[in-house]
């Protein structure tokens, strides 16, 4: 049964009201040859709700789900175990609110959570202040670039060649509308990041240097060295982190001199979810830059009775203030994902995060050692956290497809990330988390041995 609430009588009454004899009269301005003369070719006709459900279930059975196979995909979206308590807590009534907590008197649960979320992100990133979240890591990255141009009054961003290409693509897309100069590069297939080459591209016109930590190949760049070089030229360092669990094992970007730290928070509390919604994180090391930050900041205050309360302290979006004064017209607060992140982080605590990071690294080392023994496979990285790159002969995209056909989700091929760069086609990015078992690692290695020539 189709849900069409209007009757023929309703339609006739509306047409008579506007002086039209037939519904086609409403489209007279559309050329006749541009109008549909029948059903859209290739699309099925409408069906009942039950028939659609059966059809969609049949289609879903063709999928190979992350939990149903050895899973080694990463490159910015990671499969971690999320305790069942996270889903239970985020549904509590204290956190039910409108899209934006404009009325603090009825949204104290959400506002307090956002305040604590900001504290967690600031500590995780080694910064003074964090905002109440953003869309995702890539748009947060662009917002950081735009923020540096406001602070430095310069228009050039130098991107590390090992920045995630999707993040770099977002920056280039947005820069088309702002007129900023984007100086990008490609990753080098070397065990260590090319810090010298990156530093050489910084000049007196540079507003910021954007570096991923760990980078797209899983390597861990020396942020302190890059920060010193950037600051010497009057530029700011933007550090990008796509795997927040890594910060339970390596030094925070703020501690190493990054001025703005952004990233993706999906790995903590938020599932893979078919690619979204995800959670952008944003923090600054120097409090003097707070008013140039995009998004919302939640603050602590006192109510009329002197009791502690929480409010939105800053909202610098064009929806809230004059457009010419706004720091952004695209950012928002991913409230539910931020809540899930904060709940999971609270359940872990600092010790739990460090133990989780240690387990991720231990399993990744085990995987790297086993894959290094596979004939035709070379592990690129000297150092990594839970993600590393292996090099194979031929196109890794073909290998990934063959392994998927055998029930193993092997990783992300560099050819998929950089389709126009033939010299990167043999790279395969392998991610290992606490959800990976020793049996999974052996399945990956043995299946690789089968399919490699």
């Amino acid at each position: 049964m189709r849900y069409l609430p209007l009757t023929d009588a309703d339609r006739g009454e509306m047409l008579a009201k506007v002086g039209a004899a037939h519904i086609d009269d409403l489209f007279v301005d559309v050329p006749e040859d541009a109008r549909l003369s029948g059903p859209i070719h290739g699309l099925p006709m409408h069906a009942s709700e039950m028939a659609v459900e059966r059809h969609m279930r049949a289609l879903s059975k063709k999928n190979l789900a992350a939990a149903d196979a050895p899973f080694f995909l990463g490159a910015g979206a990671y499969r971690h175990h999320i305790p069942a308590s996270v889903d239970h807590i985020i549904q509590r009534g204290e956190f039910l609110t409108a899209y934006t907590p404009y009325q603090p008197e009825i949204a104290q649960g959400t506002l307090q959570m956002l305040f604590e979320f900001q504290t967690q992100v600031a500590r995780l990133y080694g910064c003074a202040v964090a905002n109440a979240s953003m869309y995702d890591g890539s748009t947060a990255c662009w917002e950081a670039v735009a923020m540096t141009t406001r602070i430095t009054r310069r228009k050039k961003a130098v991107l590390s060649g090992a920045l995630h290409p999707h993040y770099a693509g977002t920056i280039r897309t947005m820069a088309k509308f702002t007129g900023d100069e984007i100086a990008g590069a490609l990753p080098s297939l070397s065990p260590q990041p090319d810090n010298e080459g990156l530093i050489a591209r910084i000049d007196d016109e540079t507003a910021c240097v954007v570096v991923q930590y760990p980078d797209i190949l899983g390597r861990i760049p020396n942020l302190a060295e890059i920060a010193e070089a950037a600051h010497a030229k009057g530029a700011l360092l933007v550090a990008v982190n796509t795997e927040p669990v890594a910060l339970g094992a390596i030094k925070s970007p703020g501690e190493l001199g990054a001025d703005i730290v952004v990233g993706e928070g999906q790995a903590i509390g938020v599932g893979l979810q078919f690619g979204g919604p995800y959670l952008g994180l944003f923090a600054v090391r120097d409090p003097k830059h707070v008013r140039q930050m995009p998004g919302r900041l939640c603050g602590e205050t006192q109510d009329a009775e002197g009791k502690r309360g929480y409010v939105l302290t800053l909202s610098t979006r064009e929806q809230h203030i004059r457009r010419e004064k706004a720091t952004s017209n695209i950012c928002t607060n991913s409230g539910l994902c931020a809540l899930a992140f904060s709940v999971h982080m609270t359940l872990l605590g600092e010790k739990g995060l460090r133990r989780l990071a240690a387990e991720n690294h231990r399993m990744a080392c085990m995987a790297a050692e086993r894959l290094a023994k596979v004939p035709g496979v070379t592990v690129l990285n000297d150092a990594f956290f839970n993600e590393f790159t292996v090099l194979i002969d031929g196109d890794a995209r073909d290998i990934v497809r063959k392994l998927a056909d055998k029930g193993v989700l092997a990783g992300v091929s560099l050819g998929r990330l950089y389709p126009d760069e033939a010299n990167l086609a043999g790279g395969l990015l392998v991610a290992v988390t606490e959800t990976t078992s020793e049996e999974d690692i052996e399945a990956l290695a043995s299946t690789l041995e089968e399919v490699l020539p």
Side-chain angles (χ1 to χ4, degrees):
M1 180 182 296
R2 301 178 69 189
Y3 179 69
L4 297 176
L6 299 179
T7 66
D8 289 339
D10 293 330
R11 295 189 191 91
E13 185 177 348
M14 288 190 291
L15 289 170
K17 188 73 173 178
V18 298
H22 192 273
I23 194 169
D24 290 339
D25 295 342
L26 303 178
F27 301 94
V28 292
D29 293 329
V30 179
E32 192 169 350
D33 58 357
R35 301 181 213 167
L36 283 173
S37 58
I40 299 175
H41 177 72
L43 287 183
M45 297 299 290
H46 73 271
S48 69
E49 184 175 341
M50 289 186 293
V52 171
E53 287 176 351
R54 283 194 295 268
H55 179 66
M56 297 305 293
R57 278 197 299 269
L59 291 179
S60 70
K61 291 178 181 178
K62 298 181 179 180
N63 290 337
L64 181 58
D68 296 337
F71 185 86
F72 297 90
L73 278 71
Y78 302 92
R79 179 175 178 244
H80 289 283
H81 173 69
I82 301 173
S85 49
V86 172
D87 187 57
H88 173 75
I89 292 172
I90 67 175
Q91 296 181 66
R92 287 180 59 94
E94 295 93 331
F95 304 123
L96 296 178
T97 182
Y99 171 68
T100 300
Y102 290 120
Q103 295 176 274
E105 64 274 17
I106 60 171
Q108 283 298 295
T110 294
L111 287 164
Q112 180 174 351
M113 176 280 297
L114 291 176
F115 184 81
E116 294 180 0
F117 166 84
Q118 291 169 181
T119 304
Q120 291 171 331
V121 174
R123 292 192 62 185
L124 187 69
Y125 279 176
C127 290
V129 184
N131 71 12
S133 82
M134 308 192 78
Y135 274 126
D136 57 19
S138 63
T139 48
C141 186
W142 159 251
E143 295 285 6
V145 172
M147 179 175 164
T148 65
T149 64
R150 294 192 296 271
I151 293 171
T152 65
R153 300 187 183 279
R154 299 175 179 178
K155 299 287 284 182
K156 180 180 177 181
V158 173
L159 310 187
S160 163
L163 174 65
H164 196 301
H166 297 168
Y167 285 54
T170 300
I171 292 172
R172 291 191 181 93
T173 296
M174 295 302 297
K176 292 178 182 178
F177 304 99
T178 61
D180 293 318
E181 178 187 350
I182 307 301
L186 291 170
S188 60
L189 290 178
S190 59
Q192 293 293 332
D194 183 17
N195 278 9
E196 290 184 7
L198 176 63
I199 290 171
R201 293 191 284 126
I202 306 172
D203 59 26
D204 294 332
E205 301 301 317
T206 301
C208 66
V209 184
V210 185
V211 182
Q212 187 169 324
Y213 174 81
D215 70 21
I216 187 59
L217 302 184
R219 304 168 304 186
I220 303 174
N222 184 345
L223 288 186
E225 179 184 25
I226 302 169
E228 183 179 358
H231 295 158
K233 293 288 188 179
L236 301 177
L237 174 60
V238 176
V240 179
N241 171 263
T242 63
E243 168 55 293
V245 176
L247 300 177
I250 59 179
K251 287 186 176 181
S252 67
E255 185 181 357
L256 296 173
D259 300 286
I260 304 174
V261 187
V262 298
E264 178 55 63
Q266 172 272 326
I268 298 178
V270 183
L272 290 169
Q273 300 180 169
F274 301 98
Y278 282 174
L279 171 66
L281 309 182
F282 196 112
V284 296
R285 185 164 56 94
D286 192 333
K288 73 181 181 184
H289 293 146
V290 165
R291 287 193 174 274
Q292 290 297 334
M293 289 176 69
R296 306 174 184 143
L297 278 79
C298 183
E300 182 181 310
T301 187
Q302 288 185 344
D303 66 12
E305 298 176 354
K307 297 178 181 178
R308 181 175 64 175
Y310 300 91
V311 295
L312 285 181
T313 302
L314 283 175
S315 294
T316 54
R317 306 192 304 159
E318 69 171 27
Q319 292 94 325
H320 297 116
I321 61 177
R322 294 197 306 273
R323 173 174 291 185
E324 61 272 17
K325 295 291 186 181
T327 58
S328 173
N329 66 357
I330 67 166
C331 68
T332 194
N333 160 225
S334 296
L336 182 60
C337 294
L339 173 60
F341 176 100
S342 192
V343 170
H344 194 181
M345 185 68 82
T346 302
L347 292 171
L348 284 170
E350 181 178 346
K351 291 182 179 179
L353 179 63
R354 294 192 184 280
R355 286 198 298 268
L356 177 62
E359 178 63 10
N360 273 245
H361 183 59
R362 183 184 75 85
M363 295 303 296
C365 289
M366 184 184 300
E369 291 173 5
R370 177 64 181 90
L371 291 176
K373 297 176 182 178
V374 176
V377 173
T378 302
V379 176
L380 174 69
N381 305 56
D382 287 338
F384 54 86
F385 171 60
N386 69 349
E387 194 166 25
F388 55 89
T389 299
V390 298
L391 304 177
I392 60 179
D393 293 331
D395 194 327
R397 283 172 288 191
D398 298 334
I399 301 301
V400 168
R401 181 69 267 166
K402 290 177 181 178
L403 265 64
D405 291 340
K406 292 179 176 291
V408 176
L409 299 174
V412 178
S413 62
L414 295 187
R416 180 178 179 180
L417 295 175
Y418 303 93
D420 299 325
E421 303 301 323
N423 63 312
L424 300 177
L428 179 64
L429 193 59
V430 178
V432 180
T433 72
E434 76 284 356
T435 64
T436 309
S437 67
E438 294 184 27
E439 292 77 14
D440 292 338
I441 294 171
E442 183 56 37
L444 173 62
S446 59
T447 310
L448 262 177
E449 289 172 341
E450 292 177 19
V451 303
L452 286 175

